[in-house]
Amino acid sequence: NLCLLFFQSPVRSCLLLVVVSVCVQQVHGVWPLPQQLHQSADRGCLSPQRFSFTYGRDSAAQTGCSVLDAAFKRYFSIIFPDFTKGSGLLMCENQSNRLSVKTGGCDGYPDEDSDESYNLSVSEGQAVLRSVTVWGALRGLESFSQLVYQDDYGSYFINKTEIVDFPRFAFRGLLLDTSRHYLPLHAILKTLDAMAYSKFNVFHWHIVDDPSFPYQSRTFPDLSNKGAFHPFTHIYTQSDVMRVIEHARMRGIRVVPEFDSPGHTQSWGKGQPGLLTPCYKGGVPSGSFGPVDPTIDTTYKFMESLLKEVKFVFPDSYVHLGGDEVSFACWQSNPNVRKFMEKMGFGKDFTKLESFYMESIMNMTAALNRTSIVWQDVFDYHERIPQDTVLEIWKGEKYQAELSRMTQAGHRVLLSAPWYINHISYGQDWRNSYAVQPQNFSGTEEQKKLVIGGEVAMWGEYVDATNLTPRLWPRACAAAERLWSNEEKTLNADLAFPRLEEFRCELLRRGIQAEPLFVGHCKHEYDGL
């Protein structure tokens, strides 16, 4: 158990009665909605001058626990956003906020088995946060921070609250595409901040694709030298990648990289001659190239070396291998590919050739002790998929039927299809995301347990650093709540709207440029870049 104590003293000054009597007794919500939440109008005051976090004597984690030390500083600034010496009308008595952790894990990384549960009890004179791990403590600190509010006079309050909370799904992801437009490091880090506020816990980094290869590989430096939009200004150095991974770790967020092949690899070919399939026209090479060439040994040697580097750089046990949208036209045109097909007994079924390639890559990944994620196309082509492979559904139509088929085959599944929020429309389209029911498909209870979560996707055809944040937030928050909260308690979007509106205002105050949900205003409007 991890136990965090926030001791708050009740307000005792008679001089404050007039002020308190004209304040509206607010009950503040939390986004995403906790599994169990009980609040009353009773409230106590918080004084930033006398508020501090300390570790209990019996705690396994003490000062020096990187994750929690940093979280305490971060959340102090979030809880008291405009604190300066002497600010705030009320002066509460000293508050001692003690933390007790029975197990460490301060220097590790969150993973698929991380326990994010926590209990939070705010009563007269104290608040107590308990969790099993540091990752659960981070989720509890976030909920606590959302419970604190200011009155019109600048004083800070928190209502009496009891929370028992844990995520419904273990995998709550958000995909950024950094190939179609390069996203500067600050935009990625700010996205990670906002993810933590919404309790997302996986950053799916779709780092490379056809248009550009911004990842600077230590093994194959020409991939970015020749494949990035610019070899110096539009790349992610090894140092940049490490910074993203550490920023994410400190917020309990996993970083899962995607190196999509054999399609979506045009940028790869610029820095790795011989990797892509030469296309033919009229019996001679046309000068253009198609997907990765799956018929030659050098392809597999290259992929093995690249995947070994990915394992070394990215600590997460998952790696996304792609496998979607492979065009067969170039393979069909190439006489060497056709000969290979004949030799292997594939006939003219090019899905068998893609299967041959993907099975090889998935086996490589398994040999590196990594779990593969692949897009649904790999399953749809009836490939021999290792049983522990995670399948991701991205095609919008009939995803319920796909959920049934995949889970019936015994595979774990991620749902992304209804949360491609790079698609925009006028009005409150967050309601569509909110209405998704990930386990509403034909299947047994055992099948439904195989749905391990889902992802919001922000593809980059029309998105760069100028519009990424307002396009993501607060629209992504709808999926965040669906993936964290009890579905039966959160099916009514009209009931959720005031809480989401309040959370959007909180995001603005935290420096996240979240777009409006509808007509209205925030007490603290966005005040600059």
Side-chain angles (χ1 to χ4, degrees), residues 32-43:
L33 188 71
Q35 301 291 336
Q36 297 176 35
L37 170 66
H38 302 285
Q39 287 181 301
S40 80
D42 297 340
R43 69 180 186 179

Side-chain angles (χ1 to χ4, degrees), residues 1 29 40 46 83 119 121 144 147 153 163 182 189 218 292 302 325 328 336 348 364 387 399 420 423 461 482 503 507:
N1 271 3
S40 80
L46 302 178
F83 169 60
N119 291 4
S121 176
F144 180 81
L147 293 171
Y153 301 90
I163 292 176
Y182 176 81
L189 300 181
R218 60 180 69 190
V292 165
F302 165 79
E325 295 185 311
F328 299 146
N336 295 324
K348 295 183 178 180
M364 271 179 209
Q387 199 61 39
Y399 65 80
Y420 267 40
H423 296 292
E461 287 89 350
R482 180 56 60 241
F503 183 58
L507 290 176

Side-chain angles (χ1 to χ4, degrees), residues 62-339:
Q62 293 289 338
T63 301
C65 177
S66 58
V67 171
L68 293 175
D69 283 357
F72 293 163
K73 292 177 184 175
R74 195 165 65 244
Y75 277 105
F76 184 92
S77 299
I78 287 171
I79 291 165
F80 306 113
D82 58 1
F83 169 60
T84 56
K85 283 189 176 180
S87 68
L89 180 66
L90 303 184
M91 183 64 76
C92 308
E93 295 184 6
N94 284 344
Q95 294 126 15
S96 172
N97 310 288
R98 292 202 298 270
L99 174 68
S100 179
V101 188
K102 286 190 176 177
T103 57
C106 297
D107 298 321
Y109 292 89
D111 59 37
E112 60 182 314
D113 298 317
S114 293
D115 187 328
E116 297 174 277
S117 64
Y118 68 92
N119 291 4
L120 177 62
S121 176
V122 181
S123 56
E124 186 176 353
Q126 69 171 353
V128 180
L129 171 63
R130 304 181 191 279
S131 72
V132 177
T133 66
V134 293
W135 318 119
L138 291 177
R139 306 301 172 234
L141 282 169
E142 176 56 42
S143 294
F144 180 81
S145 73
Q146 292 182 34
L147 293 171
V148 178
Y149 60 94
Q150 282 180 284
D151 66 9
D152 291 336
Y153 301 90
S155 298
Y156 295 94
F157 294 94
I158 188 166
N159 288 72
K160 185 176 179 181
T161 307
E162 297 289 332
I163 292 176
V164 176
D165 202 11
F166 53 87
R168 177 184 176 195
F169 292 105
F171 191 113
R172 306 177 307 284
L174 186 149
L175 176 151
L176 290 185
D177 168 9
T178 57
S179 173
R180 290 173 177 84
H181 282 97
Y182 176 81
L183 293 174
L185 197 61
H186 70 81
I188 295 174
L189 300 181
K190 180 172 272 195
T191 300
L192 291 168
D193 292 343
M195 286 173 65
Y197 302 152
S198 300
K199 297 188 174 73
F200 281 108
N201 70 342
V202 181
F203 171 39
H204 174 173
W205 195 349
H206 188 89
I207 193 167
V208 297
D209 206 299
D210 282 328
S212 74
F213 197 107
Y215 171 73
Q216 189 177 56
S217 166
R218 60 180 69 190
T219 314
F220 303 103
D222 274 353
L223 288 171
S224 62
N225 286 341
K226 298 179 179 178
F229 286 134
H230 188 283
F232 303 124
T233 60
H234 287 59
I235 60 168
Y236 302 108
T237 65
Q238 292 289 314
S239 174
D240 292 335
V241 173
M242 286 172 61
R243 190 169 167 196
V244 168
I245 291 169
E246 182 62 8
H247 196 89
R249 183 185 82 87
M250 298 296 270
R251 288 151 184 79
I253 296 171
R254 300 162 57 191
V255 179
V256 174
E258 180 181 357
F259 288 84
D260 188 356
S261 72
H264 291 279
T265 48
Q266 287 297 297
S267 67
W268 303 36
K270 296 173 184 177
Q272 188 63 23
L275 177 66
L276 303 185
T277 307
C279 306
Y280 278 67
K281 191 171 184 179
V284 294
S286 66
S288 62
F289 295 88
V292 165
D293 188 341
T295 70
I296 52 177
D297 290 342
T298 53
T299 290
Y300 298 98
K301 289 175 182 173
F302 165 79
M303 288 302 299
E304 187 171 25
S305 295
L306 181 63
L307 288 170
K308 280 181 179 175
E309 176 179 327
V310 169
K311 175 182 177 175
F312 180 81
V313 173
F314 294 90
D316 200 81
S317 62
Y318 283 27
V319 60
H320 205 304
L321 300 177
D324 64 315
E325 295 185 311
V326 180
S327 170
F328 299 146
C330 187
W331 284 348
Q332 286 172 326
S333 76
N334 185 299
N336 295 324
V337 172
R338 291 199 302 270
K339 282 179 191 171

Side-chain angles (χ1 to χ4, degrees), residues 344-485:
M344 298 298 291
F346 293 162
K348 295 183 178 180
D349 185 354
F350 285 87
T351 66
K352 290 182 178 176
L353 181 60
E354 185 188 349
S355 299
F356 174 81
Y357 171 82
M358 288 304 299
E359 286 164 20
S360 300
I361 302 304
M362 286 186 284
N363 288 335
M364 271 179 209
T365 306
L368 292 169
N369 199 28
R370 288 291 184 264
T371 299
S372 302
I373 309 177
V374 293
W375 296 110
Q376 71 182 80
D377 314 47
V378 178
F379 175 80
D380 294 343
Y381 289 150
H382 308 294
E383 298 170 25
R384 292 188 297 275
I385 301 170
Q387 199 61 39
D388 71 338
T389 302
V390 177
L391 308 176
E392 183 164 10
I393 299 175
W394 67 273
K395 296 181 182 179
E397 305 84 24
K398 302 178 181 176
Y399 65 80
Q400 289 91 347
E402 190 82 341
L403 282 165
S404 294
R405 285 192 294 271
M406 289 176 171
T407 54
Q408 191 168 18
H411 288 290
R412 290 174 296 167
V413 180
L414 293 170
L415 181 63
S416 192
W419 291 318
Y420 267 40
I421 65 172
N422 50 290
H423 296 292
I424 56 175
S425 59
Y426 190 77
Q428 297 186 39
D429 61 354
W430 69 272
R431 291 172 179 265
N432 299 329
S433 295
Y434 200 72
V436 174
Q437 296 175 275
Q439 292 176 319
N440 185 19
F441 62 91
S442 177
T444 64
E445 286 306 306
E446 289 305 308
Q447 281 179 254
K448 295 186 179 185
K449 287 177 186 173
L450 290 171
V451 180
I452 61 171
E455 285 193 334
V456 166
M458 183 54 72
W459 296 99
E461 287 89 350
Y462 304 98
V463 175
D464 66 6
T466 64
N467 63 347
L468 171 68
T469 300
R471 191 159 291 190
L472 263 178
W473 312 105
R475 294 165 69 236
C477 301
E481 179 147 293
R482 180 56 60 241
L483 291 168
W484 179 280
S485 305

